[in-house]
Amino acid sequence: MKLPASTEWVLHCAATLAQLEPGATASAAQLAEYFDVPAPYLAKQLQALVRAGVLAAMTGPRGGFRLARAAPDITLLQIVEAVDGASSPYECREIRQQGRGALPPEDCRSICIIAEKMSEAHRAWRGSLGGVTLADIVAGLPAWAPARTRSRLSATR
């Protein structure tokens, strides 16, 4: 499965926001500079996370984005689905009923084995991402990383 680069961006941005002090925010411009990604496009992706209830947007001179819920309550799946949707990347088009090797319709009453296995893989992928929270990601970072992240991110203000 190949996801767009913006998926990596929002996953890292959410993990970065999870490292901030409670109530602290970071603007789209700060996050874009921090990761050297295009600010206007990143801002659109972050708004998708706001619409999904993953992030909250704060207005004003010290405004920006923060987590909308506690890090243990936000899964990687929620973040990915906010920007990429929930549908399976595989779509069975029943090619087993086409061309010289076409099977008759009566032999295709049950789901194609390939479609079945691809669906199983998608469910496993979703299950895996659904079992990992932002708190898990932060807990997996080196002990010095959150302080470094806060320091470097505040230097972009």
Side-chain angles (χ1 to χ4, degrees), residues 1-13 35-38 41-42 45 79-80 83-84:
M1 172 180 305
K2 184 173 178 151
L3 297 170
S6 58
T7 305
E8 178 185 10
W9 302 353
V10 296
L11 287 165
H12 278 278
C13 286
F35 290 112
D36 191 26
V37 298
Y41 189 65
L42 178 62
Q45 301 303 309
I79 296 167
V80 170
V83 295
D84 294 317

Side-chain angles (χ1 to χ4, degrees), residues 9-45:
W9 302 353
V10 296
L11 287 165
H12 278 278
C13 286
T16 297
L17 293 171
Q19 295 173 66
L20 300 181
E21 296 294 337
T25 64
S27 70
Q30 283 178 289
L31 291 165
E33 182 180 340
Y34 188 77
F35 290 112
D36 191 26
V37 298
Y41 189 65
L42 178 62
K44 289 180 185 177
Q45 301 303 309

Side-chain angles (χ1 to χ4, degrees), residues 15-16 18-21 34 137-153:
T16 297
Q19 295 173 66
L20 300 181
E21 296 294 337
Y34 188 77
I137 297 299
V138 173
L141 296 173
W144 50 264
R148 178 185 182 275
T149 296
R150 290 189 294 272
S151 171
R152 297 260 172 118
L153 194 59

Side-chain angles (χ1 to χ4, degrees), residues 16-79:
T16 297
L17 293 171
Q19 295 173 66
L20 300 181
E21 296 294 337
T25 64
S27 70
Q30 283 178 289
L31 291 165
E33 182 180 340
Y34 188 77
F35 290 112
D36 191 26
V37 298
Y41 189 65
L42 178 62
K44 289 180 185 177
Q45 301 303 309
L46 295 174
Q47 285 301 324
L49 294 182
V50 171
R51 287 189 299 277
V54 172
L55 299 183
M58 314 307 284
T59 58
R62 302 292 287 172
F65 296 93
R66 64 172 174 76
L67 298 182
R69 301 187 307 274
D73 299 330
I74 300 171
T75 68
L76 297 187
L77 181 63
Q78 292 167 336
I79 296 167

